[in-house]
Amino acid sequence: MITNLHTKNFRAFEELNLNFSKINLFLGPNNAGKSSILSALIILSQTLKCSDRNAPILLTGDGVMKDFGTYGDLVFKNETKREITISLGFNTQPSTGKLTPVLRGFIPKEGINGNIKLEYKYRPKNHKIILKSCEVEMPLGEIAIKTKYIEHSEKPVIETYFKQKKELPQMRVNNFSPQLFFRKFEENSFLLDRFIIDITDHLRKIEYIGPFRESPNRIYPFSGESPAFAGEQGKRAVEMLAEDYYRRRGKKKIDLAEKVSNWFKESGIAEEIYVKRLTEKYFEIILTHIYSKEKENLVDVGFGCGQVLPILVAGYNLKPGRTLVVEQPEIHLHPKAQAELGTFFKDLALNDIQLFIETHSEHLLLRLQSYVASGDLKPEDVKVYYVYSNKDKDGKKETVELPLNDKGYFSKEWPEGFFPERLNEAIKIEEALSNKSKKNGPRGRSCS
């Protein structure tokens, strides 16, 4: 699990420190900086996914999950002289399947707790972003390895390695992660190797669904591919659905259509969703109306169905131990369906999937609060962060954690109006009715 995030001079925040849990919600007004927080995960993930292993950070280009523009767009207040820091904490459970019993015994039962800290700077002469240093702490607080960039050779070298000065391992850097070549076996080097492999694999396999999903098509071709990710706009979600529906067998089959159908039914959206083969080359996605039982093409039903489908497919397709990042999952959904998203995310979290969700949905949040109150989730399982521009500090972007108690209530007040706007509007209505009543006198009052 990703346990914490620290950034400096990254996008909207001069400095940021957050701790994470199973479900992490980010709420607040528009243009408050919520997406900046998620960007730290997305940008490292797409960097590791790119084919160019020499790219220390991937901002734009073909195949990116999200286009971040230039270094000037990425750095706080667009000041390119500033250096950027991104630091992520992890608790990992390295795979032991191919290890000998002796090697397995070196891995702590509670997993490996560590941190990777990346520092970037910009070279304006050739418009190049430099990985100034990469530092891995393992365990937390103890530097296992630190690299630094040498200007004259334009290469990274090892500056610190478990406090050793001699017999340093050979190294190459893939994107931003050091890859070591050991001359002899040591327990420390083994654990460091497992930790780096695990965190880079975890970041690489993050599934990110952006705020604008691709509109559905009436028919789709069978591509013959088996996509692992739905993609930022959910472009591959339908292919994943068809692949699972027709081609997966046995333990590989996830029953995506059945799981999505159950969610649609609970949300009052549709009775069923299924893949209908039209020819050997083409298929369509059909929904059965929940009341009339009519069969309708995905294009012909409400727009919200096509917008939420990639999120459902991506979530159900993820294996335990993975991470899902979603922006505005609730768009174009009615209140009941928004609340059912809370159930969907709860089920994923209980299946050991970590969630980072940027949302404006009160209904989604209330459903999660109800699961804390019922005991299905622990208060510490849900982290709620309110992100806003502090008017008293010249609009400085700030985050405030709003802890939940065991009854599902917030244990501190919201820093400014957001969801409380509902209460404010209710008070305005009551005041308007009261003033109207006083103006009209006793005879003007309504029996209701």
Side-chain angles (χ1 to χ4, degrees):
M1 187 169 73
I2 302 170
T3 56
N4 57 75
L5 168 68
H6 167 74
T7 67
K8 189 173 181 180
N9 297 324
F10 183 73
R11 300 201 74 190
F13 297 93
E14 186 172 12
E15 192 155 7
L16 182 70
N17 285 287
L18 300 177
N19 294 316
F20 297 137
S21 187
K22 294 180 179 179
I23 302 175
N24 305 279
L25 295 175
F26 304 92
L27 307 105
N30 294 326
N31 196 30
K34 301 184 296 297
S35 295
S36 293
I37 298 171
L38 302 182
S39 294
L41 305 180
I42 299 165
I43 203 167
L44 296 185
S45 181
Q46 71 182 28
T47 299
L48 289 170
K49 287 177 181 177
C50 80
S51 57
D52 182 5
R53 292 290 179 254
N54 294 315
I57 190 167
L58 185 66
L59 304 186
T60 187
D62 294 336
V64 297
M65 300 161 74
K66 190 171 184 177
D67 190 337
F68 290 97
T70 65
Y71 189 87
D73 299 311
L74 198 68
V75 69
F76 180 67
K77 291 192 173 180
N78 311 114
E79 296 179 4
T80 56
K81 291 183 179 180
R82 296 176 184 258
E83 296 179 355
I84 292 174
T85 298
I86 304 174
S87 180
L88 283 175
F90 292 86
N91 173 257
T92 73
Q93 293 288 343
S95 173
T96 59
K98 296 181 180 180
L99 300 178
T100 66
V102 173
L103 292 178
R104 290 176 196 165
F106 289 133
I107 299 175
K109 292 182 180 179
E110 65 275 12
I112 304 174
N113 287 291
N115 189 82
I116 183 168
K117 178 181 177 182
L118 306 168
E119 294 182 336
Y120 295 96
K121 65 179 182 179
Y122 185 64
R123 185 187 286 167
K125 289 183 179 179
N126 54 2
H127 308 286
K128 187 176 181 180
I129 301 174
I130 303 297
L131 177 64
K132 181 182 176 182
S133 71
C134 172
E135 180 180 300
V136 178
E137 292 182 352
M138 190 209 69
L140 289 175
E142 181 179 328
I143 297 177
I145 186 171
K146 182 176 182 180
T147 70
K148 67 176 182 180
Y149 183 81
I150 304 299
E151 289 288 347
H152 67 84
S153 65
E154 297 189 338
K155 292 182 179 181
V157 299
I158 297 176
E159 183 179 59
T160 304
Y161 177 72
F162 289 111
K163 301 179 181 179
Q164 293 182 21
K165 300 299 181 182
K166 298 179 180 179
E167 296 188 22
L168 296 178
Q170 292 181 325
M171 176 195 68
R172 71 169 179 235
V173 174
N174 282 347
N175 299 120
F176 54 78
S177 65
Q179 307 293 312
L180 305 177
F181 303 93
F182 302 103
R183 294 191 184 97
K184 61 182 181 179
F185 175 81
E186 294 176 343
E187 183 177 348
N188 281 340
S189 62
F190 167 72
L191 290 177
L192 174 61
D193 184 54
R194 303 304 300 180
F195 182 72
I196 291 175
I197 289 172
D198 198 61
I199 63 174
T200 53
D201 182 64
H202 185 92
L203 287 170
R204 190 180 291 112
K205 292 180 179 177
I206 285 177
E207 174 75 272
Y208 166 63
I209 306 292
F212 303 107
R213 274 75 79 182
E214 189 177 65
S215 299
N217 298 328
R218 188 165 294 279
I219 61 172
Y220 295 90
F222 286 108
S223 67
E225 297 182 45
S226 300
F229 302 99
E232 178 197 358
Q233 296 182 328
K235 292 181 179 180
R236 312 301 297 273
V238 169
E239 290 180 62
M240 294 163 68
L241 196 66
E243 169 73 13
D244 184 71
Y245 196 84
Y246 278 111
R247 293 180 178 150
R248 288 178 182 165
R249 295 290 184 270
K251 294 181 179 180
K252 292 184 178 181
K253 192 173 182 65
I254 304 174
D255 294 319
L256 289 176
E258 181 180 346
K259 292 177 180 179
V260 173
S261 294
N262 290 337
W263 188 89
F264 274 170
K265 189 172 183 179
E266 288 295 322
S267 303
I269 291 176
E271 179 75 20
E272 181 188 17
I273 183 171
Y274 61 94
V275 182
K276 182 180 178 181
R277 185 191 294 270
L278 298 175
T279 67
E280 286 299 311
K281 188 175 181 180
Y282 294 101
F283 66 92
E284 62 178 336
I285 303 297
I286 299 294
L287 278 75
T288 303
H289 195 279
I290 195 164
Y291 298 119
S292 69
K293 311 304 179 186
E294 293 175 278
K295 310 293 184 183
E296 301 171 292
N297 188 285
L298 181 60
V299 171
D300 298 323
V301 299
F303 193 65
C305 296
Q307 291 294 290
V308 76
L309 181 62
I311 297 170
L312 300 174
V313 171
Y316 288 132
N317 188 67
L318 282 176
K319 295 179 180 179
R322 296 303 175 193
T323 294
L324 176 63
V325 180
V326 183
E327 293 187 65
Q328 298 182 38
E330 73 279 1
I331 55 173
H332 298 290
L333 292 180
H334 61 272
K336 177 174 172 55
Q338 291 183 34
E340 289 299 330
L341 279 173
T343 299
F344 169 68
F345 291 132
K346 180 265 297 182
D347 291 341
L348 292 184
L350 294 180
N351 194 35
D352 197 25
I353 292 170
Q354 190 176 20
L355 299 152
F356 294 86
I357 306 160
E358 185 262 306
T359 182
H360 295 108
S361 175
E362 181 178 11
H363 307 288
L364 189 164
L365 176 59
L366 286 171
R367 178 63 63 87
L368 290 173
Q369 289 178 255
S370 73
Y371 285 125
V372 173
S374 67
D376 292 295
L377 292 171
K378 298 176 182 177
E380 59 268 26
D381 289 338
V382 183
K383 291 277 188 182
V384 179
Y385 284 103
Y386 185 73
V387 188
Y388 72 111
S389 298
N390 193 326
K391 298 175 184 177
D392 298 328
K393 296 182 180 180
D394 298 323
K396 181 181 179 182
K397 304 293 175 64
E398 294 189 356
T399 60
V400 176
E401 183 182 350
L402 299 169
L404 296 172
N405 61 26
D406 57 5
K407 294 182 180 179
Y409 297 140
F410 290 106
S411 57
K412 69 164 64 172
E413 293 184 1
W414 292 69
E416 62 175 16
F418 187 62
F419 288 151
E421 287 299 323
R422 182 178 66 169
L423 176 61
N424 294 337
E425 293 300 321
I427 291 172
K428 289 179 183 178
I429 293 172
E430 183 63 30
E431 289 176 348
L433 291 173
S434 177
N435 292 334
K436 182 178 180 181
S437 176
K438 291 177 181 178
K439 182 178 179 180
N440 294 336
R443 293 180 181 178
R445 292 180 179 174
S446 169
C447 293
S448 61

